[in-house]
Amino acid sequence: QVQLVESGGGWVQPGGSLKLSCVVSGRTFNTYTMGWFRQAPGEEREFVAGISWSGFDTVYADSVKGRFTISREHTKNSLYLDMSSLKPEDTAVYYCAATKQTYYSGSKEYFSASNYETWGQGTQVTVSS
């Protein structure tokens, strides 16, 4: 079982950028499918982006496509989320998540929070002027 620790959240003005990181403990990071989710107050947790264990496949929610980029670096046991052109509606607690399952390219299985077994504690992102 791995453990996930997110960092990089904070306050940013609309149109700004932030980069979130998620450090994964353990030696098997390169076997996990990874995802980023977010949850705003009073809202359900929603999918943001997912990446296959190899890093070759990525998938995004329509709301962030073209603005956010998910990536992973196996030598650093790290998952990243580069966020640009941020909007007030991007304000939420952002979570990284891991699963041992392998999903096909573009699979909708990336989108469901119930398909991930391990979660980080979250990092707050606030976008406001």
Side-chain angles (χ1 to χ4, degrees), residues 9-109:
W11 173 83
V12 64
Q13 291 186 332
S17 300
L18 278 177
K19 182 175 182 176
L20 305 184
S21 299
C22 174
V23 176
V24 182
S25 67
R27 299 181 179 180
T28 58
F29 171 60
N30 59 359
T31 65
Y32 281 80
T33 296
M34 302 294 296
W36 285 100
F37 288 75
R38 67 187 181 186
Q39 188 167 19
E43 302 289 333
E44 292 188 356
R45 192 167 296 190
E46 67 170 356
F47 171 79
V48 175
I51 188 167
S52 62
W53 62 267
S54 66
F56 290 146
D57 293 328
T58 58
V59 61
Y60 297 91
D62 288 343
S63 59
V64 307
K65 202 171 294 183
R67 301 188 298 120
F68 291 11
T69 303
I70 188 172
S71 61
R72 63 193 300 163
E73 190 169 356
H74 291 162
T75 58
K76 294 186 177 181
N77 269 28
S78 292
L79 175 74
Y80 304 105
L81 186 68
D82 277 289
M83 307 184 294
S84 62
S85 301
L86 282 161
K87 305 174 182 179
E89 51 263 44
D90 294 317
T91 295
V93 177
Y94 282 71
Y95 300 88
C96 66
T99 177
K100 289 292 286 182
Q101 298 298 314
T102 297
Y103 301 138
Y104 293 107
S105 176
S107 169
K108 293 296 185 183
E109 291 178 296

